[in-house]
Amino acid sequence: LRHLRVEYPDIQVIMVTGVSDAETAAEVAELGAYDYILKPFDIDGLLAKVERALVDRMNQVTQCRQR
């Protein structure tokens, strides 16, 4: 994720993990992930996170263009 954030700073990353604890959540956030989802995951839950990430990114782009 560190390398992705350097090469593609505007990308929205949703991490998939099998570990459910506060430390993992904090690490994912610190690394710059947009969100994360636990395995095994529900496809509808993943799609909702992807949709939210895309909407947020489109809003960011729109705001940048308006400046």
Side-chain angles (χ1 to χ4, degrees), residues 9-66:
D10 298 327
I11 196 169
Q12 302 285 43
V13 176
I14 300 171
M15 299 287 293
V16 178
T17 181
V19 180
S20 173
D21 61 24
E23 183 178 326
T24 300
E27 183 178 359
V28 166
E30 182 180 314
L31 291 172
Y34 176 81
D35 203 346
Y36 74 101
I37 192 166
L38 296 172
K39 293 189 288 186
F41 58 86
D42 171 73
I43 192 69
D44 291 331
L46 177 59
L47 290 174
K49 289 178 184 283
V50 169
E51 182 178 8
R52 193 174 75 235
L54 289 172
V55 168
D56 285 352
R57 182 66 190 127
M58 287 188 305
N59 289 338
Q60 290 171 357
V61 169
T62 300
Q63 288 175 358
C64 286
R65 288 184 178 163
Q66 292 174 349

